[in-house]
């Protein structure tokens, strides 16, 4: 939560020049697919932000929010004195477009501590949405109890995640079976992490923690209440507030009177007693055999067998690539193929259903020919259909359905059942793979999940969430309105799988709070329980291998979802038919449900919004709905960014005033590079897909300029003094239109007053005299300036914490300044920057970059570069020219990936070669005061070497980068080479002599703080 | 020597006079009725069974889900002590055949485990900490399954030693944990039987002036 805020604050600084030096990437686009016409509505404790498309849910959300407030406020005996900003989105894909923070799939809601904004998507079952609202609202109460209106900069110590998230879960008063499973597994298999208020969870043996801060934290507060009482929980928050502000309090000792070690031991013993009845229960290893995936993969979230049962597709997390992969494996776990190996630009990432235990993210058609899964492409997900044998893609169907999931290929592979939301309504759909036509099969308010075809294609089995429980349904394909509810339990039944041999449904259900495997005999109606585990078993699929029935399933065991195979075990229990049935409970249409639950809308008609009733029902007064007004907030602390390259130091700072939704910003920036100071005041509009920044700038910058030889030869002039001060002031508009997440077009236009002259008055005088004497044109530009620019940017690069790993980047741009008047600056500038990154192995990268630039017109731009991560072995901006190019080739590799030294991150090594050419083109019609030869002076064997950079020069070398405080500190050593003339002492430079290629003397050392290109 | 020497000894004599030491010995027999009430299982499911091949009541752990099923004795903390048990590593499970003693158990993140491993034929002393398990020493020795061994651990100050059938196998110095509960442990799905547990300890008590 806090990290996301910090990240968002960093992102607003992208236009800072110092930032550009430090982080030289163009970045992917956070595309605003939708423009929201925000409205507000105030309730007793909330100011709710919504938009017309979500307005129909306002009453429901407002009722849930006020219901949540009443409960939490009463439980904590605490009130919030301001109206809490509550921002809700109709769907997750719309939530991800929020501007004041970064949201990705999997983040269902966020509350932040500075302005106490809580935001979430509502596209989930209402009972779960109510819990989500309570969770996020609890964070606001936490912030209030801890900070009491003060803003986080005064904090000495941030509470750990298990405290903040655990308490938010605890306050809901509800244990989700999947959450309890995580705690139970941790206790029974001795993976309970150590709880400390001073740091985040520490798991024994470095076990992956995943959701443990939420679940174990929840259990910790429950333990605190059960052992020490409700007052102790409040005492805990009282002392936590002191610790947060002063940083000195031992919270657990002060609140509970025991040391942290004792608290942990008591907590462990409490949980052991809580779960003592589970001691004798089974684990999947008692009856199954784990089909393990190689160590580079972690967990199996989904599995589906081939029709012959000999191969399996599994969806698993690739720990090296930080993404999901779909593997084809055999029954021993041997990887036969990785269907999604490497990085793909045809989709962003593979997606899973909202809840891991549903586990239906893959489908393999019964005829064995097709495989289907979902991947994120742009705003929503696309259905990907592969040829099962060749692995090549047959179809990528972009859908207008949100949260599409649970694909189920029909037996002939020609159509796919999916679940998802259209216009905010959850339903079950059938997609024709060839025609891509979509048919809604349910059209009701219930949440359908995990559909499955019968082998003859006549029936569909799936689950519907009815009265906050998932029940198994059966649909007649020829008449989709013919639906039969098969289970009527007071617990969830999920992921049904039809087994033709027994005419049964195998599924997972959390009867008594633990997900186990069951079979529903469709003939008798009896249910048979097959497992009784300490963790949870999910997604059963029956197989016939060599005439023998087996079951493939996933199991949460020892902290991970794992894939198991087993023979059909001896039943544990039987639930006879009708023992769980309530007469007349089958209500599958929206109208039936609405009538059943007595929910009415504002007009008194049966509401079809939800089958869930919050404890408090609000009526919406339409007259109080108002347009959102612009309200200025300070977007965090003023930031300071520094960069170093050789002898040049850059610093930038700024402050951003933001609208409450982050859609509009006023920005004030100041930066200073080598004593030259720039100011920038701008307005940023992020409300639409087309986004723009309009700003006024005063830019004071510098570059090295070529000196005419008669000035350069003046003994009082040093080439290092030939610094041109470039001052620009005026206004501009920079805008961008993202074509996709990877590509965008950029446009810019401005009107400026430009002034360039040598910073040293003596040199400026000499230069003016030179121009008067020779009649040559001034190469420095001054006057009115109207640059118009267009650029195309692409960024497919996959980044890691150290920089680029794989992919490519480019930026192609043209800037043109028309000669409105003779005194106005007139020029055209063409630039290209192309980079390609090859992942050699693991975290080793071969990086290539080519940059080119060219300028024409009567006021050419003098480009300057060198130093830093640009061209090593040369001073910062030492190399100048009006046209040229740079090439870099670099191999980067890990030296000490995990040095375990305080404050120090990883150390990486590199070997590199840099090459460039820069020139001042001369032609018959140019009379610029530019030197005929572009020279840099070095020493070769202690003799002066006039390096002609027009003929090319560069460096080869090696170096390493140390990450400290999140910044890369680069130490580079290089040998410089070039082509030019060796000068004998006292001899003049004679260009008629042949040029020689030489390495210059010595090993050049460069230090810089900057990320790799 | 003379006067100064005796004066220097005076503080030592005073200390000896104010502290008293006594030896305690505790013996848990697993055929005693009610012995299960003296067990505090931390993980796994422990039970008193009488295997056919042994024909005597023994303590055993039966489930497969824990990595290191542990049971502590409901008793005081011990600091310097000798702990011994008779252990039988069954060949019923071919994959793992290891079990042993828990020493100086402070909490989930601070204790020692001494393992006798018939499968890999070695004795191993490990220490648990918040960062995970660390092997302090591993000594190979010819052990076999399906026979009784007497496994003994001796803990004095920072000196930890292991004996099998009276023969010292392992000797380690480690000063992280100074005292705690005692107990028994097995490894994963090993089928292990324990016949009794004995502890001998020298307790120091303040006697007052």
């Amino acid at each position: 939560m806090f990290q996301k805020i910090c990240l968002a604050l960093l992102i607003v600084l992208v236009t800072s020049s110092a930032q550009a030096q430090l982080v030289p990437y163009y970045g992917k686009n956070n595309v605003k697919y939708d423009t929201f016409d925000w409205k507000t509505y105030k309730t007793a404790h909330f100011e709710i932000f919504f938009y017309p498309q979500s307005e129909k849910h306002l009453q429901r959300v407002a009722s849930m929010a006020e219901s949540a407030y009443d409960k939490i406020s009463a439980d904590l005996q605490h009130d919030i004195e301001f109206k809490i900003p509550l921002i809700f989105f109709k769907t997750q894909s719309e939530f991800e477009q929020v501007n004041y923070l970064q949201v990705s799939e999997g983040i269902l809601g966020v509350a932040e501590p500075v302005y106490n904004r809580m935001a979430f998507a509502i596209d989930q079952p209402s009972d779960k949405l109510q819990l989500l609202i309570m969770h996020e609202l609890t964070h606001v109460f936490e912030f209030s109890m801890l900070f009491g209106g003060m803003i986080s900069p005064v904090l000495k110590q941030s509470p750990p995640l298990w405290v903040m998230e655990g308490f938010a879960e605890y306050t809901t008063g509800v244990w989700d079976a999947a959450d309890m499973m995580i705690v139970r597994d941790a206790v029974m298999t001795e993976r309970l992490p150590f709880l400390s208020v001073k740091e985040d969870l520490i798991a024994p043996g470095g076990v992956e923690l995943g959701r443990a801060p939420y679940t174990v934290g929840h259990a910790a507060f429950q333990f605190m209440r059960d052992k020490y009482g409700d007052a102790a929980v409040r005492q805990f928050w009282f002392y936590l507030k002191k610790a947060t502000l002063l940083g000195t309090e031992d919270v657990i000792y002060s609140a509970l009177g025991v040391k942290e070690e004792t608290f942990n031991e008591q907590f462990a013993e409490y949980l052991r007693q809580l779960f003592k009845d589970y001691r004798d229960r089974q684990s999947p290893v008692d009856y199954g055999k784990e089909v393990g995936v190689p160590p580079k993969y972690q967990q199996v979230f989904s599995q589906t067998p081939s029709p012959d049962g000999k191969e399996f597709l599994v969806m698993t997390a690739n720990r090296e690539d930080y993404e999901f992969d779909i593997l084809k494996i055999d029954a021993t776990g041997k990887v036969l193929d990785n269907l999604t190996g490497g990085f793909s630009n045809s989709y962003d990432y593979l997606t899973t259903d909202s809840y891991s235990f549903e586990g239906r993210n893959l489908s393999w058609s019964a005829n064995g020919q097709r495989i289907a899964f979902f991947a994120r492409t742009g705003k929503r997900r696309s259905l990907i259909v592969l040829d099962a044998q060749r692995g090549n893609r047959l179809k990528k169907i972009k859908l207008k359905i949100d949260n599409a999931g649970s694909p189920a290929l029909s037996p002939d592979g020609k159509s796919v059942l999916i679940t998802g939301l259209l216009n905010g309504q959850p339903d079950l759909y059938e997609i024709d793979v060839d025609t891509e036509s979509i048919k809604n099969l349910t059209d009701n308010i219930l949440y359908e999940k995990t559909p499955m075809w019968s082998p003859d294609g006549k029936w569909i089995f799936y689950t519907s969430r009815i009265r906050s429980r998932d029940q198994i349904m059966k649909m007649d394909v020829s008449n989709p309105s013919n639906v039969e509810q098969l289970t009527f339990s007071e617990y969830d039944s999920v992921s049904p799988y039809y087994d033709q041999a027994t005419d049964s449904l195998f599924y997972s259900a959390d009867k008594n709070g633990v997900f186990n495997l069951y079979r529903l005999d469709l003939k008798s109606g009896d249910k048979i329980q097959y497992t009784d585990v300490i963790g949870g078993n999910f997604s059963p699929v029956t197989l016939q291998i060599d005439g023998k029935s087996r079951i493939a399933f996933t199991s949460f065991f020892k902290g991970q979802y794992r894939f198991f195979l087993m023979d059909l075990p001896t039943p544990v229990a039987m639930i006879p038919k009708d023992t769980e049935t309530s007469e007349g409970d089958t209500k599958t249409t929206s109208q039936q449900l609405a009538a059943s639950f007595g929910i009415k809308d504002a007009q008194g008609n049966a509401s079809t919004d939800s089958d869930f009733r919050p404890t408090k029902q609000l009526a919406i007064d339409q007259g109080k709905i108002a347009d959102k007004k612009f309200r200025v907030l300070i977007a965090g602390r003023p930031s300071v960014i520094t960069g170093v390259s050789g002898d040049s130091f850059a610093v930038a700072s700024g402050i951003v005033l933001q609208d409450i939704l982050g859609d509009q910003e006023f920005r004030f920036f100041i930066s200073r590079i080598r004593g030259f100071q720039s100011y920038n005041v701008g307005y940023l509009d992020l409300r639409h897909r087309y986004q723009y920044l309009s700003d006024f700038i005063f830019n004071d910058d510098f570059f090295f300029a070529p000196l005419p030889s008669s000035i350069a030869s003046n003994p009082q002039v040093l080439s290092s003094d030939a610094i041109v001060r470039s001052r620009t002031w005026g206004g501009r508009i920079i805008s961008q239109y993202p074509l996709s997440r990877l590509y965008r077009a950029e446009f810019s236009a401005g009107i400026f007053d430009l002034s360039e002259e040598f910073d040293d008055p003596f040199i400026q005088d000499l230069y003016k005299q030179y121009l008067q004497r020779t009649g040559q044109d001034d190469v420095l530009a001054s006057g009115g300036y109207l640059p118009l620019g267009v650029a195309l940017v692409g960024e497919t690069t996959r980044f890691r914490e150290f920089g680029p790993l794989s992919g490519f980047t480019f930026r192609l741009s043209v800037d043109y300044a028309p000669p409105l008047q003779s005194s106005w600056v007139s020029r055209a500038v063409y630039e290209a920057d192309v980079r390609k990154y090859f992942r050699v192995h693991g975290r080793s990268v071969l990086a290539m970059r080519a940059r080119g630039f060219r300028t024409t017109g009567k006021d050419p731009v003098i480009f300057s570069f060198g130093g830093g991560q640009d061209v090593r072995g040369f001073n910062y901006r030492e190399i100048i020219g009006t046209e040229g190019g740079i090439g870099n080739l670099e191999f980067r590799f890990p030296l000490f990936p995990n040095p375990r030294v305080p404050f120090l991150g990883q150390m990486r090594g590199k070997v590199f070669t840099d090459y460039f050419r820069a020139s001042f083109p001369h032609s018959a019609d140019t009379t610029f005061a530019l030197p005929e030869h572009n020279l840099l002076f070095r020493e070769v064997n202690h003799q002066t070497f006039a390096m002609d950079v027009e003929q090319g020069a560069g460096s080869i070398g090696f170096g390493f980068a140390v990450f400290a405080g999140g910044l890369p500190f680069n130490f580079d050593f290089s040998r410089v080479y070039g082509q030019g003339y060796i000068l004998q002492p006292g001899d003049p430079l004679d260009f008629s002599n042949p040029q020689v290629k030489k390495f210059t003397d010595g090993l050049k050392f460069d230090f810089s703080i900057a990320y790799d290109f | 020597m003379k006067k100064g020497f005796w004066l220097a000894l005076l503080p030592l004599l005073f200390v000896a006079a104010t502290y008293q030491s006594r030896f305690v010995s505790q013996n848990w027999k697993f055929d005693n009725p009610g012995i299960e009430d003296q067990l505090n299982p931390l993980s796994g499911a422990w039970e008193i069974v009488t295997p056919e091949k042994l024909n005597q009541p023994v303590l055993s752990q039966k489930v497969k889900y824990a990595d290191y099923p542990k049971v502590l004795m409901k008793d005081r903390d011990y600091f310097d002590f000798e702990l011994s048990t008779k252990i039988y590593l069954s060949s019923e499970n071919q994959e793992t055949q290891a079990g042993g003693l828990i020493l100086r158990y402070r909490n989930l993140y601070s204790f020692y485990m001494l393992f006798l491993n018939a499968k890999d034929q070695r004795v191993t002393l490990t220490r648990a900490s918040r960062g995970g398990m660390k092997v302090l020493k591993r000594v190979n020795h010819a052990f076999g399954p399906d026979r009784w061994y007497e496994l003994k651990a001796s803990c004095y100050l920072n000196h930890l030693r292991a004996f099998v059938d009276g023969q010292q196998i392992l000797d380690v110095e480690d000063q992280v944990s100074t005292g705690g509960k005692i107990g028994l442990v097995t490894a994963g799905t090993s089928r292990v039987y324990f016949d009794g547990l004995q502890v001998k300890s020298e307790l120091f008590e303040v006697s007052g002036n």
Side-chain angles (χ1 to χ4, degrees), chain A residues 190-192 265 279 558, chain B residues 43 65 67-68 70 109:
Chain A
E190 296 188 284
R191 280 167 169 73
L192 198 61
E265 196 56 24
R279 271 187 200 149
K558 295 189 176 180
Chain B
S43 54
Y65 52 74
D67 290 342
Y68 300 106
K70 299 178 194 68
Y109 316 96

Side-chain angles (χ1 to χ4, degrees), chain A residues 560-804:
Chain A
Q560 295 194 10
Y561 286 93
R562 301 163 191 268
F563 176 33
F564 282 86
L565 280 174
M566 67 174 179
D567 296 333
L568 193 64
T570 308
V572 173
M574 194 181 101
I575 306 166
K577 184 187 177 186
D578 297 338
T579 53
E580 293 179 330
T581 304
S582 301
E583 181 117 4
D585 227 3
T586 306
K587 296 175 182 61
T588 54
T589 69
S590 300
Q591 286 71 25
Q592 284 175 325
L593 282 160
S596 165
F597 300 129
I599 301 172
K600 294 185 177 177
D601 62 17
Q603 284 72 44
N605 301 318
S607 168
T608 56
D609 285 351
S610 169
D611 64 335
F612 173 86
R613 283 180 67 88
T615 55
K616 199 170 191 174
Q617 284 291 324
L618 264 62
I620 299 299
D621 180 350
Q622 295 291 326
K624 287 185 179 175
I625 293 177
D627 290 338
K628 182 186 81 75
K629 293 184 174 59
F630 187 86
R631 193 186 314 164
V632 172
L633 309 173
I634 299 173
R637 285 179 261 186
S639 57
V640 176
I641 296 170
T642 58
V644 174
S645 180
D647 60 347
S648 294
F649 179 76
V651 61
S653 184
I655 190 163
V656 175
L657 301 178
Q658 202 177 58
D659 171 46
I660 193 165
L661 297 177
D663 290 345
Q664 294 158 283
E665 289 179 3
F666 288 103
R667 334 163 106 208
F668 305 90
F669 285 101
I670 182 167
S671 64
R672 188 178 176 89
I673 301 177
R674 209 173 178 173
F676 297 88
Q677 198 152 298
S678 300
Y679 306 89
N680 182 311
V681 179
Y683 166 76
L684 180 65
D685 190 326
L686 299 172
R687 287 176 294 178
H688 313 281
R689 184 166 184 154
Y690 174 79
Q691 301 175 335
Y692 68 91
L693 169 73
S694 169
D695 64 356
F696 293 97
I697 61 172
F698 174 79
N699 198 29
D700 195 4
D701 204 352
F702 77 97
F703 60 86
F704 291 97
L707 288 173
S709 55
S710 65
I711 301 176
S713 59
N714 187 319
Q716 291 178 278
V717 174
L718 298 174
S719 60
S720 58
D721 291 336
I723 295 174
V724 171
R725 182 171 206 158
S726 171
R727 294 180 185 177
T728 312
W729 71 269
R732 65 177 176 177
I733 293 180
I734 302 171
S735 60
Q736 66 169 27
Y737 185 84
L739 306 169
S740 67
R741 218 167 78 81
L742 306 180
Y743 303 100
R744 66 176 173 268
E746 295 179 348
F747 311 95
S748 62
I751 183 160
F752 301 103
D753 183 77
L754 177 64
S755 164
E756 293 177 349
E757 59 182 31
F758 285 97
D759 196 37
D760 185 333
F762 176 66
I763 297 177
Q764 178 66 17
D765 284 345
L766 290 177
Y767 181 65
K768 286 290 180 191
Q769 291 166 18
Y770 173 83
L771 293 179
Q772 285 174 358
R773 192 170 64 243
T774 61
Q776 289 186 334
D777 290 330
D778 189 353
V779 75
L780 304 181
S782 290
Y785 182 33
L786 185 82
L788 306 168
V790 61
L792 183 65
V793 181
E795 176 80 271
T796 70
T797 311
R798 306 286 176 134
F799 290 94
R800 290 292 179 267
E801 67 284 359
F802 53 80

Side-chain angles (χ1 to χ4, degrees), chain A residues 82-99:
Chain A
F82 51 87
K83 287 197 189 296
I84 301 159
L86 184 157
I87 303 140
F88 77 88
F89 293 82
K90 189 167 89 290
T91 62
Q92 177 74 21
S93 61
E94 289 170 2
F95 178 33
E96 290 170 21
Q97 299 174 53
V98 65
N99 276 322

Side-chain angles (χ1 to χ4, degrees), chain A residues 21-22 24 644-645 849 851 866-872 876 886 888 890 892 910 912 914 960-961 968-972 1006-1013:
Chain A
Q21 296 287 337
L22 180 67
V644 174
S645 180
R849 174 172 65 174
R851 288 166 58 196
Q869 299 300 294
D870 213 3
V871 182
R872 284 149 288 202
Y876 184 60
I886 306 170
N888 309 92
E890 187 165 315
R892 303 164 185 160
K910 55 186 153 183
F912 58 84
D914 300 333
F960 60 91
F969 291 73
N970 297 290
F971 303 86
D972 295 319
D1006 285 289
F1007 169 72
S1008 62
I1009 303 176
Y1011 282 89
D1012 295 324
F1013 65 80

Side-chain angles (χ1 to χ4, degrees), chain A residues 188-194 202-203 205 261 265 272 279-281 283 286 534 557-558, chain B residues 40-45 62-68 70 105 107-109 130-132:
Chain A
M188 307 302 281
T189 65
E190 296 188 284
R191 280 167 169 73
L192 198 61
F194 187 85
I202 303 162
E261 282 75 15
E265 196 56 24
R272 280 195 288 269
R279 271 187 200 149
D280 290 339
R281 296 197 187 180
S283 58
D286 282 309
I534 56 163
F557 181 52
K558 295 189 176 180
Chain B
N40 178 20
L42 297 184
S43 54
K62 62 179 180 181
V63 296
K64 296 179 179 177
Y65 52 74
D67 290 342
Y68 300 106
K70 299 178 194 68
Y105 181 94
N107 53 52
L108 269 176
Y109 316 96
R130 290 189 200 173

Side-chain angles (χ1 to χ4, degrees), chain B residues 50-98:
Chain B
T50 305
E52 250 180 51
K53 60 183 174 184
L54 298 180
N55 198 25
Q56 67 176 98
V58 289
L59 180 64
S60 181
Q61 196 286 127
K62 62 179 180 181
V63 296
K64 296 179 179 177
Y65 52 74
D67 290 342
Y68 300 106
K70 299 178 194 68
V71 60
L72 296 183
M73 307 313 296
K74 290 180 180 171
D75 195 13
R76 60 163 61 91
D77 286 1
Y78 290 94
F79 295 85
D80 294 340
F81 59 90
E82 284 182 3
L83 182 67
S84 61
T85 186
K86 280 180 73 181
I87 183 170
Y88 186 99
L89 303 161
S90 173
S91 60
E92 289 167 56
N93 187 334
Q94 291 293 318
E95 291 175 6
T96 55
Q97 297 162 359

